[in-house]
């Protein structure tokens, strides 16, 4: 495995069975570049999985960034991947209970799972 900043690191292309982006909240231009870079590293039949705070979380959820420019929707992530060769298998808004007994709430997340088709 490799851990790195996809704005700076260039791992081997199509070499990873799983590329995971978790709670990546950057400006939309950097997100687009990172998503496209991440897609390059997914091996045939491999997965790109993205989990983050949904844009709806700002108004209706708890936690996460408070700058709407850093939040995104399933449509945003799907559009970021257009033309990369990945097939989106799942892109949805997901509710997640957070907190403890003294302070509970619901965070609104977005989950995307995309697969690179197997090589012929």
């Amino acid at each position: 495995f490799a851990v790195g900043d996809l704005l700076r690191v260039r791992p081997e292309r199509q070499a990873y069975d799983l590329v995971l982006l978790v709670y990546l909240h950057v400006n939309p231009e950097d997100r687009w570049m990172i998503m496209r870079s991440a897609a390059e590293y997914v091996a045939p039949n491999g997965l790109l999985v993205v989990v983050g705070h949904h844009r709806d979380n700002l108004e209706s959820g708890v936690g996460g960034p408070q700058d709407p420019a850093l939040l995104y929707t399933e449509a945003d992530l799907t559009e970021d991947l257009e033309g990369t060769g990945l097939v989106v298998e799942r892109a949805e808004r997901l509710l997640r209970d957070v907190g403890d007994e003294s302070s509970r709430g619901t965070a609104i997340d977005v989950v995307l799972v995309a697969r690179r088709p197997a090589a012929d």
Side-chain angles (χ1 to χ4, degrees):
F1 70 91
V3 176
D5 178 342
L6 289 177
L7 289 174
R8 294 175 181 82
V9 174
R10 296 289 176 232
E12 183 181 348
R13 294 187 74 234
Q14 295 192 16
Y16 298 91
D17 293 326
L18 175 64
V19 176
L20 182 62
L21 303 176
V22 180
Y23 296 101
L24 172 72
H25 295 286
V26 296
N27 69 63
E29 297 80 20
D30 285 346
R31 187 195 71 235
W32 182 85
M33 289 174 46
I34 291 168
M35 290 286 291
R36 301 204 52 98
S37 290
E40 289 182 22
Y41 306 121
V42 177
N45 208 34
L47 295 174
L48 169 64
V49 177
V50 181
V51 179
H53 291 288
H54 195 283
R55 189 171 296 138
D56 291 348
N57 195 66
L58 188 60
E59 300 275 331
S60 304
V62 298
Q66 299 302 297
D67 181 348
L70 303 181
L71 301 171
Y72 39 87
T73 68
E74 56 275 33
D76 295 330
L77 297 179
T78 299
E79 288 174 19
D80 288 348
L81 293 177
E82 286 179 3
T84 64
L86 297 185
V87 176
V88 175
E89 295 183 347
R90 177 181 178 189
E92 63 185 314
R93 184 177 175 265
L94 188 70
L95 302 179
R96 177 174 51 89
D97 291 330
V98 296
D100 57 26
E101 291 179 18
S102 65
S103 174
R104 291 189 188 270
T106 301
I108 304 170
D109 290 340
V110 59
V111 174
L112 177 131
V113 177
R115 182 181 304 276
R116 179 170 307 286
D120 293 333

